[in-house]
Amino acid sequence: MVSIKDVAKHAGVAISTVSKVLNNYPNVSSDTRDKVNRAIEELGFVPNAVAAALSSKQAGRVAILIDLNTRTQAIDEISMQLISGAINQAVLMNLDIITVFFSMIRDKSVEELIRYFKSQNISGIIISGMNRESKQLLELIASKEFKIVVIDAPVYNESTSSVWIDNEKAQYDVAKKTTENIDCKKILYIAGRTDDYISGERRRGVERLAREFKLKLTVKQGEFNEKKAREITLQYGKYNDLIVCASDLMAIGAMKALIEMDIFRPICGFDGLALMGYVGKQMNTVKQDFYRISSEAVRELNYLMNGGCGRNIKLDYRLVRMKYEDIIC
Amino acid sequence: MVSIKDVAKHAGVAISTVSKVLNNYPNVSSDTRDKVNRAIEELGFVPNAVAAALSSKQAGRVAILIDLNTRTQAIDEISMQLISGAINQAVLMNLDIITVFFSMIRDKSVEELIRYFKSQNISGIIISGMNRESKQLLELIASKEFKIVVIDAPVYNESTSSVWIDNEKAQYDVAKKTTENIDCKKILYIAGRTDDYISGERRRGVERLAREFKLKLTVKQGEFNEKKAREITLQYGKYNDLIVCASDLMAIGAMKALIEMDIFRPICGFDGLALMGYVGKQMNTVKQDFYRISSEAVRELNYLMNGGCGRNIKLDYRLVRMKYEDIIC
DNA sequence: ATGATTTAGGAAAACGTTTTCTTAAATGAT
DNA sequence: ATCATTTAAGAAAACGTTTTCCTAAATCAT
């Protein structure tokens, strides 16, 4: 392996000079710079990022945590969007990013998590999908040992930021919009996982709607689970005028149930998955731009790691009607 | 940051002794071992993997290459399966794995690719989805600078292995099975991307079937693109008795076309995506176990990196009829 | 022309490990 | 009891960088 030492010798300069050229330091004459660059070229030298990371005490790496265990189509789509957004932004900002998958760290204690991050020189973390599995992550966030950006949960201290959309308002909006064209007295709400932060928010949104318009609201726990949503709909669907689901996946479950029972009820979902383009029915939903969300998260993490103070970044969403033609590319 | 030096001082031993304890070297008395372990405990010491990687000249890291640019549902699902399988296997084998996304390296020359891998201390690579974007990767494979496992393309030299399923036979099998219950004289085959290795294989499979059973075969290039498959089906679907597609996604496109034209033709797909459970129609397809494929790839890479010689690992597939109940979990 | 300031470039320490030698102590064989 | 062998543990070099400090030369102001 050809090292900086070889380059220095070949160019007839000191190691430190090569390093300065490599890192675009000012105090190098263009003569020397050329000489060094020529040597680099001739020797095919590639700087070793591992050594550089060890040597420089600078910030360290950024990690994005992705849940690998929840195996559903919907999660695949969201995860990949999050990953894409984060990586592209990181490349743009020249950050060393690493994708860490939950299965690698699941069931580990906070200490072990911290261990892992420390051992990997990770000092900035992006966390999405805070839920019951993430209790440890919450502890991690509280510890202030790292700079952290949380997606969709406005919990923060000075070393933590969050990137989120207003789930309460979004749920309200999409449900309201769907009621507008129909005669709606009774709403069935299929809620998300009880201990998910966003579940509470969304539920409050539909509750506010019911209150404001004096609608009868039935709330059932769907756990973000398609099958469960189907069962709930089979049981309660026909007694309601509208079925509001806290996720697209559950909306699909509800739709299947309606088809089975051969009745029609309007449904609305939440997330704006491309998957919705494949289910054959149109549906109102809240389209979240996960790609954008995680790009923003990376940008915010960079801000934190450069000494910025924690804050909440609110992003917008769009109400859309999903159908085949909207999605296919 | 507490380092091995602090541990040594605290335990009253030399640095090298701590290192020996850390790496379970034999020549350490249990007394010393205990002393060191106590110090590690008390100081909350976490070994720095970066430093260790720099110091030890050992094998280096494993990378799995995932394409991030082809933005479709199907790819999301396959990618996530590949990632899951690889990561879980790597954790099991205690390998340091890193997921590298194509967008980070796309449009870069082979030299730059090699640069990247070198700089990241990567010496083993898993490559999937060899196609026109991957020409550079082919060069990389030829270079023998790294140990490489290619998924679904049996190209190898002594430092390269491949993990694959018999695409020719699988395409033959699924198409044959679908013909069995119908009166089939004419087949429309919607092929994959011309320069994809697997496309050629699959095409040969259906050609063999046509030859053996004296069927009229019309082959059109679908490019693994749903929209294109839809268009092809709109144009040629009604003149054929069976539509065989080189991927599930194209099968979905074909299905949409049939629905639009309000005619029925049996269709078969390829891949066994969970997505197929959402499209509302049953379809025969070839189920590939991508999770298993990439676990095997990691195992094989480990074998190569330990001095093993390149070889082909053939995995099996299953013919399945995909429908809602099969998929939902 | 002189002294003060800037600048280019080098020497060497540091980052946190692993690994190779060495040495002193402990054990074994006679 | 002596010498040979094994064993535990430490010293120090190495890995490939970055960074700090220093020196000599060059530039500037007077």
Side-chain angles (χ1 to χ4, degrees), chain A residues 1 45-51 53-54 61 66-68 71-73 76-77 79-81 83-84 87-88 91 96-97 99 101 103-104 115 118-121 225-227 230 249 252-253 256 274-275 277-279 324 328-329, chain B residues 1 44-51 53-54 61 66-68 71 73 76-77 79-81 83-84 87-88 91 96-97 99 101 103-104 115 118-121 225-227 230 249 252-253 256 274-275 277-279 324 328-329:
Chain A
M1 175 181 244
F45 165 70
V46 178
N48 183 323
V50 173
L54 175 63
R61 286 198 284 186
I66 297 289
D67 195 330
L68 211 56
R71 304 294 324 133
T72 80
Q73 266 291 113
D76 287 351
E77 190 181 334
S79 298
M80 287 304 279
Q81 296 282 352
I83 293 173
S84 305
I87 292 206
N88 287 331
V91 167
D96 195 2
I97 197 171
T99 312
F101 294 88
S103 79
M104 299 173 82
R115 247 178 110 71
K118 273 188 181 171
S119 83
Q120 294 293 331
N121 259 28
N225 180 302
E226 180 179 342
K227 202 170 193 172
R230 175 179 155 275
L249 210 61
I252 291 174
K256 303 270 183 186
L275 177 60
Y278 292 92
V279 297
Y324 186 63
I328 197 166
C329 55
Chain B
M1 173 180 245
F45 165 71
V46 178
N48 183 322
V50 173
L54 175 62
R61 288 198 284 186
I66 298 290
D67 195 330
L68 211 56
R71 305 293 324 131
Q73 266 292 112
D76 287 350
E77 191 181 334
S79 297
M80 288 302 279
Q81 297 281 354
I83 292 173
S84 305
I87 291 206
N88 287 331
V91 167
D96 194 3
I97 197 170
T99 313
F101 294 89
S103 80
M104 299 173 83
R115 246 177 112 71
K118 274 189 181 172
S119 82
Q120 295 293 331
N121 259 26
N225 180 301
E226 180 179 343
K227 201 171 194 171
R230 174 179 156 274
L249 210 62
I252 291 174
K256 303 269 183 185
L275 177 61
Y278 292 91
V279 298
Y324 186 62
I328 198 168
C329 57

Side-chain angles (χ1 to χ4, degrees), chain A residues 129-265:
Chain A
M130 298 286 297
N131 60 30
R132 60 169 170 267
E133 325 278 5
S134 323
K135 287 234 177 75
Q136 321 154 346
L137 297 180
L138 267 171
E139 267 189 75
L140 184 69
I141 291 167
S143 80
K144 296 192 200 170
E145 284 213 57
F146 303 90
K147 300 297 182 181
I148 295 182
V149 175
V150 183
I151 289 174
D152 254 345
V155 41
Y156 71 99
N157 52 44
E158 62 270 32
S159 62
T160 315
S161 282
S162 87
V163 176
W164 64 300
I165 71 159
D166 190 336
N167 280 274
E168 195 269 352
K169 183 163 180 301
Q171 186 68 86
Y172 175 96
D173 285 354
V174 71
K176 172 144 186 292
K177 173 143 196 162
T178 315
T179 59
E180 278 167 6
N181 303 316
I182 59 170
D183 178 32
C184 182
K185 302 264 191 300
K186 292 181 282 185
I187 293 181
L188 170 62
Y189 184 64
I190 307 185
R193 230 177 277 121
T194 349
D195 43 8
D196 252 20
Y197 175 78
I198 49 171
S199 298
E201 288 294 296
R202 291 180 192 174
R203 178 175 172 158
R204 265 185 288 285
V206 77
E207 283 171 348
R208 175 157 65 91
L209 182 77
R211 218 163 39 239
E212 283 181 14
F213 291 87
K214 312 235 183 311
L215 307 173
K216 177 165 185 312
L217 180 68
T218 309
V219 177
K220 295 290 161 191
Q221 299 301 329
E223 304 287 325
F224 287 137
N225 180 302
E226 180 179 342
K227 202 170 193 172
K228 206 144 194 173
R230 175 179 155 275
E231 287 161 7
I232 291 168
T233 308
L234 284 175
Q235 197 172 352
Y236 304 98
K238 61 168 169 278
Y239 310 117
N240 287 277
D241 309 314
L242 167 64
I243 302 169
V244 179
C245 300
S247 79
D248 282 349
L249 210 61
M250 293 196 295
I252 291 174
M255 190 196 77
K256 303 270 183 186
L258 293 180
I259 292 173
E260 280 178 56
M261 296 187 292
D262 198 28
I263 61 177
F264 175 79
R265 295 291 182 278

